[in-house]
Amino acid sequence: MSTAVIGLGLIGGSLLRALAAAGHDVVGYDADPATREAARAAGFRVAGTVPEAIRGTELTALAVPLTVLPEVIAEMKGHDGLVTDVTSVKGPVRDLMTGFRFVGGHPMAGKETSGFAASEAGLFAGCAWVLCLEPHGTDLADWLSLAGLFTSMGAQVVPVTATEHDTAVAQISHVPHLFAAVLAQQLLGNPLAGTLAAGSFRDGTRVAATRPELTAAMCGGNGSAVRRELHRLIGDLQRLEEHLAAGDPTSALVPYLSLASHARGAWPPAPGTPEKVPADVEALLELGRAGGWVTSVNDTELAGMRPETDLFLS
Amino acid sequence: MSTAVIGLGLIGGSLLRALAAAGHDVVGYDADPATREAARAAGFRVAGTVPEAIRGTELTALAVPLTVLPEVIAEMKGHDGLVTDVTSVKGPVRDLMTGFRFVGGHPMAGKETSGFAASEAGLFAGCAWVLCLEPHGTDLADWLSLAGLFTSMGAQVVPVTATEHDTAVAQISHVPHLFAAVLAQQLLGNPLAGTLAAGSFRDGTRVAATRPELTAAMCGGNGSAVRRELHRLIGDLQRLEEHLAAGDPTSALVPYLSLASHARGAWPPAPGTPEKVPADVEALLELGRAGGWVTSVNDTELAGMRPETDLFLS
């Protein structure tokens, strides 16, 4: 599929490389001239503007930060090709993309390093790649062609709605970043805590060292889901606070901690057995809600997998 | 110093080994006959009862869980030798030990494995070992002799009051365990979250897999400090919730996240320069509050170290 990749950082650069490695016709663009030069020097075709990059391509992949998306979209006015993106929040992007043939995506891939220099063709092998599917609003044929493209790179394509995605990433990534920040700032003016801190602190606060602007953009961009999930978890913490005020706090804490220990002990889940998946919106969404993913697409023959069942029953 | 070690799990067993390796006369005891047999088989002198173990020894080190301490203490009635312990909460133990010549301790050492089989003589090298010092209530000569013993094993002896210790460990260990549990239990009935979870979830929840009884005993045993610190951090989370409701949540979040990122980036702090430390209760407590520790004791000549300054200024 001929593809334009807009934004050549870690994800966009890796996508450019992966598509080229798989024999696709690709062209890249980045707003930064030095990045364009680096991509050219690496042997890629690079356009000088967004309109030049996307002209005549079947697919445009937007790999720019959420805050930059509106500018790029403004340059795409009237474009009628298929468009996808890789940003970490899906509801707001879906709303921005009204009027385009759009299927939102989010590859759950990352590294400690960023930028085109860190990009690699193999980045997506084995990674979960959310591909949004709305019961009303996504063209199934478009969705299937993207699912085929990304599974061919080794990604595990997870079919969910934008709303389901945004809730899940608030739960497993955005709120954990806020928890880490709250634990880490305890060190301020408190050197004794820094001296006594060990393994549980080290791991529980690791992501607090992330650049604050990045964490803020990620959480702020998914603001309403993060706020709702944070509020829910504050409620859980308040229940633990009540347990600590009980006559026998140790016994009062055990039931909740047992559920949590069970859940964490069962994660990551073992994959189950391969299965055939109907090329049907509801069947695909059911697969995604069950934690499953599409492993391959041949025409309309889909194969999938889901985690072993009953590990996460509440 | 002739020492009886009561409780031969990971910490007690390691203490037995470390003392023996340093040439001290040691005897061990454990309530479990199989553990006693294992310690005997490893070449150690092992007593059959607590009174037999402590009879005539200069020091008794209690290395049993907090819940078992009252039973052991009942068997020590009338004992007039110096006593220390290794439990992770210090205020409640101090209160239990009224009437004994007692200096509470807490080596911040641990491993994934537990029990005598996992014990090793080198466990305490480089670890922070809290040794409680109360302005009224601790005999300074007793404190100095224990500080000399533990620093000779390579431990960094941190002088703080029981109350300061309990607050600090609530902040950097006990509350982080509760945060991890709250994040981990989100997986229950939510397999999609389990499929999308990656690095920030993995690290932020690692300690949630701890045996729930252990986490509950640790938090419950330090209940009032954990409750107070948890309440304070819930307040911080509620402020973040307000930031997320702001017109521009991203900008609203940056100042708090910047402080947290600065704090985590500065941890662990680099050690500063070696210094002489006066053998004086207030000077020692000042060192501990600054995140410093005693590195050696020769008679009443103390050497110490503190982390590089100004990293944790708020």
Side-chain angles (χ1 to χ4, degrees):
Chain A
M1 179 151 31
S2 68
T3 304
V5 180
I6 308 300
L8 301 175
L10 171 66
I11 302 292
S14 297
L15 183 55
L16 190 77
R17 291 177 187 277
L19 288 165
H24 296 281
D25 178 32
V26 288
V27 57
Y29 169 79
D30 195 281
D32 173 45
T35 300
R36 290 202 297 273
E37 204 39 62
R40 269 192 206 104
F44 296 98
R45 189 155 64 87
V46 177
T49 66
V50 170
E52 185 196 328
I54 68 177
R55 192 177 308 132
T57 55
E58 295 166 89
L59 173 65
T60 299
L62 303 176
V64 299
L66 180 62
T67 48
V68 179
L69 263 184
E71 294 169 40
V72 173
I73 293 169
E75 297 193 75
M76 294 173 62
K77 217 173 164 196
H79 183 71
D80 58 2
L82 179 57
V83 183
T84 189
D85 77 317
V86 301
T87 37
S88 64
V89 56
K90 304 270 54 82
V93 175
R94 176 198 56 204
D95 298 344
L96 284 172
M97 296 304 298
T98 308
F100 289 90
R101 238 178 86 204
F102 178 69
V103 179
H106 180 203
M108 311 295 284
K111 299 209 296 189
E112 302 297 310
T113 47
S114 60
F116 183 77
S119 66
E120 47 177 308
L123 187 70
F124 309 112
C127 97
W129 193 311
V130 169
L131 201 53
C132 289
L133 187 55
E134 309 295 337
H136 309 285
T138 307
D139 183 285
L140 185 59
D142 284 343
W143 192 93
L144 290 172
S145 76
L146 286 176
L149 184 65
F150 299 145
T151 53
S152 75
M153 296 175 188
Q156 304 175 342
V157 170
V158 181
V160 292
T161 66
T163 303
E164 286 166 338
H165 166 275
D166 289 352
T167 295
V169 294
Q171 293 169 337
I172 54 87
S173 173
H174 303 170
V175 171
H177 276 76
L178 298 180
F179 271 40
V182 163
L183 292 177
Q185 62 73 40
Q186 297 183 104
L187 295 181
L188 297 168
N190 190 2
L192 172 63
T195 291
L196 300 188
S200 63
F201 180 84
R202 179 193 62 227
D203 291 353
T205 60
R206 185 182 58 84
V207 295
T210 308
R211 270 214 301 129
E213 293 76 14
L214 291 181
T215 305
M218 190 173 73
C219 295
N222 194 19
S224 70
V226 175
R227 189 179 163 209
R228 184 187 62 239
E229 297 305 313
L230 176 60
H231 187 79
R232 201 171 50 77
L233 295 190
I234 287 173
D236 276 32
L237 290 170
Q238 287 170 327
R239 269 188 291 284
L240 293 179
E241 201 187 334
E242 285 166 26
H243 294 336
L244 285 161
D248 179 358
T250 300
S251 301
L253 288 168
V254 167
Y256 188 95
L257 295 177
S258 296
L259 286 173
S261 178
H262 169 74
R264 183 52 170 80
W267 185 89
T273 47
E275 59 186 81
K276 280 193 176 181
V277 181
D280 169 86
V281 173
E282 281 310 322
L284 284 164
L285 288 175
E286 189 278 322
L287 179 70
R289 282 176 202 130
W293 56 89
V294 172
T295 52
S296 73
V297 182
N298 290 310
D299 292 323
T300 55
E301 282 282 292
L302 280 73
M305 185 90 90
R306 64 185 78 200
E308 275 189 352
T309 49
D310 85 6
L311 286 176
F312 297 135
L313 297 183
S314 53
Chain B
M1 177 148 35
S2 68
T3 304
V5 180
I6 308 300
L8 301 176
L10 172 65
I11 302 292
S14 296
L15 184 54
L16 190 75
R17 290 178 188 278
L19 288 166
H24 295 281
D25 178 30
V26 286
V27 57
Y29 170 78
D30 195 281
D32 172 44
T35 301
R36 291 202 296 271
E37 202 40 60
R40 269 193 206 105
F44 295 99
R45 190 154 63 87
V46 177
T49 66
V50 171
E52 186 195 330
I54 67 177
R55 192 176 307 132
T57 54
E58 294 165 89
L59 173 65
T60 298
L62 303 176
V64 299
L66 180 62
T67 48
V68 179
L69 263 185
E71 294 169 39
V72 173
I73 293 169
E75 296 193 75
M76 293 173 62
K77 216 173 164 195
H79 183 71
D80 58 3
L82 178 57
V83 183
T84 188
D85 77 316
V86 301
T87 37
S88 65
V89 54
K90 304 269 54 81
V93 175
R94 176 197 56 204
D95 298 344
L96 284 172
M97 296 304 297
T98 309
F100 289 91
R101 240 177 87 202
F102 178 70
V103 179
H106 180 203
M108 311 295 284
K111 297 210 296 188
E112 302 296 308
T113 47
S114 60
F116 184 77
S119 66
E120 46 176 308
L123 187 69
F124 308 112
C127 96
W129 192 311
V130 169
L131 201 53
C132 289
L133 187 54
E134 309 296 335
H136 308 287
T138 306
D139 184 285
L140 185 59
D142 283 344
W143 192 93
L144 291 173
S145 76
L146 285 175
L149 185 65
F150 299 146
T151 52
S152 74
M153 294 175 190
Q156 304 176 340
V157 169
V158 181
V160 291
T161 66
T163 303
E164 286 165 339
H165 166 275
D166 289 351
T167 295
V169 294
Q171 293 169 338
I172 54 85
S173 172
H174 303 169
V175 171
H177 276 76
L178 298 180
F179 272 40
V182 163
L183 293 176
Q185 63 74 41
Q186 296 182 105
L187 295 181
L188 297 168
N190 190 2
L192 172 63
T195 292
L196 299 188
S200 64
F201 180 84
R202 180 194 61 228
D203 292 353
T205 60
R206 185 182 58 85
V207 295
T210 308
R211 270 213 302 129
E213 294 77 12
L214 291 182
T215 305
M218 193 172 72
C219 295
N222 194 21
S224 69
V226 175
R227 190 179 162 208
R228 183 186 64 238
E229 298 306 313
L230 176 59
H231 187 79
R232 201 170 51 76
L233 295 190
I234 287 173
D236 275 31
L237 290 170
Q238 286 170 329
R239 270 188 290 282
L240 293 179
E241 201 186 335
E242 285 166 26
H243 294 336
L244 285 161
D248 179 357
T250 299
S251 302
L253 287 168
V254 167
Y256 188 96
L257 295 177
S258 296
L259 286 174
S261 179
H262 168 74
R264 183 53 170 79
W267 185 89
T273 46
E275 58 185 83
K276 279 194 175 180
V277 181
D280 168 86
V281 172
E282 280 310 321
L284 285 164
L285 287 175
E286 189 278 322
L287 178 71
R289 280 175 203 131
W293 56 88
V294 173
T295 52
S296 72
V297 181
N298 290 309
D299 291 325
T300 55
E301 283 283 293
L302 278 74
M305 185 90 91
R306 63 185 78 201
E308 275 188 353
T309 48
D310 84 9
L311 287 176
F312 296 135
L313 297 184
S314 54

